[in-house]
Structures are given as C-alpha cells and as structure tokens.
Amino acid sequence: MAKKLLLVDVDCGVDDAQAIMMALAAPTVEILGITCCFGNTSLENVCKNVLRVLEVCNRTEIAVYSGASNSLLGGIKPEFAHFGTDGLGDTGESASVGLEPLQKEHAVNALVRIVNEHVGEISLVATGPLTNLALAVKLDPTLPQKLKNLYIMGGNLEGRGNRTVCAEFNFYLDPEAAQIVLNEFTCPTYIAALEFVYNNALSKEFFDNWIHQKSLKGKFMKRISTKTQLHSFGFVSYDSYAMAAAIEDDIVTDYLKFGVDVDLRGQFTRGMMILDVDDRLKKHKVFLMKTCDLEKFQRLMMAALQ
C-alpha cells in the first residue's frame, strides 16, 4: 500500500512536537517536509525545536524549512507563555541545536514546489498560524486545487477563545492569514477547532502513563511536558488531533459541514471563526471535526513515544 504523503506546517511547541512524533511513528505515512512559522515561540526557536524532535526520533533526513517570522500585517506581538518561552517547556532541549541543517529554500517556496511535484497526492497539516499557507496561495493561486486535503488545528465554534475572549490562539496570531486560507483553499478541508479538542480530551491518568514510557522518546516528552497545562477536564494535545485525522481517515467519527470565515474587525471578536450555519455567505463548505474515536487516538499517541 502506498504511503500517505504529508507536508507539515508547524509553530513547534510541545503539542506540535507531539503531533510530529505521532506522524513519524505511523508506518502508513511519509513526511515530505516540515515548514516552520512563528507562533508558540520565535521562528528561530521553532526551527530548532523541529530539528531537535527529528534528532530524538532519529529522522534527521526529513527536510526542514524556515518560514514566516510574523503575521501578514505584523501587528501582533506573541506572548510566549503556554509552553514556556522556548516552546519546549524552557528545558533547554533545543539550546545547543544549530540551524545548519535547515534548507536554504524558504518555507513558502518549498510548500509551492513540493505540492506541484505531487499534484493531488499531498495532505497538508497546519498546526500553527496560517501565515505560510496564506503566502503560498498568493504565490500560486492554483495551489489548493493541487492538494489532496488540508487539515487545520485552529479556530473555534462557539465564540469562546483561549487567547482572547472570542479567538483561538492560532487564528488570533494571524487573522488575515486565517481568512485567506479559509476562503481560498477550496480543497477538502478538515478543522480541529478548540471546542472539538476540549470535548475529546484524554484523561490525566492516560497522560501520566503516556509520559512515563521508558523509551528515549518518552523521556524526552516527560522533560518538555513540565509546563504542559492540564485542564480540569483532562489532557489536550491540541495539534495531535489534526495530525491523527490526516493519518487515519476514520479516527474522526462525526463532522459538521458549514461555510466558515474569520472576523477581522470586531473589538472583541477579531480572529474568531464564524460558522455560516444558514449558508448566507454562500461559501464552500469545510468539515468541522465533532467526535473522535478516542481508543484509536490513544493508540496513535502511545505509539508516538515507543
């Protein structure tokens, strides 16, 4: 059976690391490249974090590309706090990683090139701000037609945010990019929004068992998870849900299907994802993940650290 071809665009914090390790452990998947964007930490740290994850997993042959260092308008100053200032729990895991292994090609150019080399075959998984994707579609407006699928972790469904009152972290850091992607990427698009990942959280007991695996990967995850914020309702590996959906088609068991957009002007709602439930905007429909097969998801999570 031919492997699924993935391109992965990340702002590598702890949850991106978890998602990357999940994909690396999946025998049915081949990662053609990893593109980096600012978000959970600075662009330089993101690149170092990705290189460190590949080093831990003994997969340094995978090409890594440096991309956008700020939002399209450059008006938002990220606060690097959720996973520590370096994105990996301030553990120093990436402090000694050099940037020499980075490809010379810019991430946006790499996205366009690689998709054009594999027309109709690539699933693009985006787990950070969508800046690189927005720039790529402006370089090549036909890009979405050449993708097999797009998987996004971002946005929200009910107007409650985790960065502002009404906006989810990834969309808020570059609302213009999110709007461009949701409007111009007309390929089949699957979104793991904030409410979906919260409603499908894993137990704290699972988290404890998961990070105490004795493998090198398990020990690495335990070290970088010191600042992982466990919610009252459990453990949420945000980005891993989008990655899991890209790896196994049936892991998400139910979807909503609506047109969506992003608010850019509201005092409180800038960056909020808007659901067009009555089809008033006449936009193409996306698949909004609703329920997850948690048993299968847990198996992918466990395999990531083995």
Side-chain angles (χ1 to χ4, degrees), residues 161-182:
N162 65 342
R163 179 60 190 260
T164 65
V165 173
C166 295
E168 178 273 333
F169 179 87
N170 286 338
F171 278 26
Y172 177 77
L173 286 190
D174 199 341
E176 281 73 21
Q179 189 192 56
I180 288 169
V181 170
L182 294 188

Side-chain angles (χ1 to χ4, degrees), residues 97-132:
V97 174
L99 295 175
E100 295 81 9
L102 285 178
Q103 302 297 306
K104 304 304 181 187
E105 186 178 18
H106 192 277
V108 176
N109 299 99
L111 281 171
V112 172
R113 175 183 58 80
I114 296 170
V115 171
N116 276 281
E117 290 173 351
H118 301 273
V119 173
E121 298 180 325
I122 289 178
S123 292
L124 175 54
V125 184
T127 61
L130 298 174
T131 314
N132 285 337

Side-chain angles (χ1 to χ4, degrees), residues 227-239:
K227 293 192 176 182
T228 294
Q229 298 177 8
L230 293 176
H231 300 275
S232 59
F233 49 81
F235 164 54
V236 179
S237 179
Y238 298 87
D239 297 335

Side-chain angles (χ1 to χ4, degrees), residues 213-227:
Q213 295 186 71
K214 300 302 183 182
S215 64
L216 291 176
K217 297 176 188 177
K219 293 175 182 177
F220 168 73
M221 187 56 61
K222 184 178 180 181
R223 292 195 299 271
I224 68 174
S225 297
T226 55
K227 293 192 176 182

Side-chain angles (χ1 to χ4, degrees), residues 16-252:
D16 303 79
Q18 293 162 355
I20 292 169
M21 293 172 78
M22 174 186 286
L24 293 175
T28 59
V29 162
E30 179 181 354
I31 298 179
L32 297 180
I34 301 176
T35 53
C36 300
C37 179
F38 80 102
N40 279 315
T41 184
S42 67
L43 177 62
E44 180 176 333
N45 284 340
V46 168
C47 294
K48 287 184 174 183
N49 292 349
V50 171
L51 293 171
R52 177 60 179 147
V53 169
L54 294 178
E55 185 179 77
V56 169
C57 296
N58 197 28
R59 295 296 302 277
T60 55
E61 80 281 2
I62 295 175
V64 181
Y65 305 85
S66 178
S69 61
N70 207 331
S71 63
L72 293 179
L73 300 185
I76 296 174
K77 295 181 179 179
E79 299 172 5
F80 306 134
H82 192 73
F83 297 118
T85 56
D86 70 352
L88 295 185
D90 290 332
T91 55
E93 280 288 336
S94 303
S96 61
V97 174
L99 295 175
E100 295 81 9
L102 285 178
Q103 302 297 306
K104 304 304 181 187
E105 186 178 18
H106 192 277
V108 176
N109 299 99
L111 281 171
V112 172
R113 175 183 58 80
I114 296 170
V115 171
N116 276 281
E117 290 173 351
H118 301 273
V119 173
E121 298 180 325
I122 289 178
S123 292
L124 175 54
V125 184
T127 61
L130 298 174
T131 314
N132 285 337
L133 277 66
L135 291 169
V137 76
K138 293 305 180 184
L139 280 181
D140 182 0
T142 68
L143 190 72
Q145 304 163 27
K146 300 169 183 173
L147 281 172
K148 182 179 180 180
N149 298 299
L150 171 61
Y151 295 87
I152 295 171
M153 192 284 129
N156 52 346
L157 306 177
E158 300 171 1
R160 292 175 291 181
N162 65 342
R163 179 60 190 260
T164 65
V165 173
C166 295
E168 178 273 333
F169 179 87
N170 286 338
F171 278 26
Y172 177 77
L173 286 190
D174 199 341
E176 281 73 21
Q179 189 192 56
I180 288 169
V181 170
L182 294 188
N183 280 278
E184 299 188 26
F185 277 71
T186 54
C187 56
T189 298
Y190 302 83
I191 298 178
L194 193 60
E195 292 84 352
F196 166 74
V197 301
Y198 283 169
N199 291 337
N200 291 276
L202 301 176
S203 69
K204 294 178 182 179
E205 291 76 17
F206 172 83
F207 176 75
D208 288 337
N209 291 331
W210 181 64
I211 64 166
H212 283 94
Q213 295 186 71
K214 300 302 183 182
S215 64
L216 291 176
K217 297 176 188 177
K219 293 175 182 177
F220 168 73
M221 187 56 61
K222 184 178 180 181
R223 292 195 299 271
I224 68 174
S225 297
T226 55
K227 293 192 176 182
T228 294
Q229 298 177 8
L230 293 176
H231 300 275
S232 59
F233 49 81
F235 164 54
V236 179
S237 179
Y238 298 87
D239 297 335
S240 297
Y241 292 89
M243 185 64 75
I247 293 171
E248 292 195 11
D249 297 335
D250 61 350
I251 206 161
V252 177

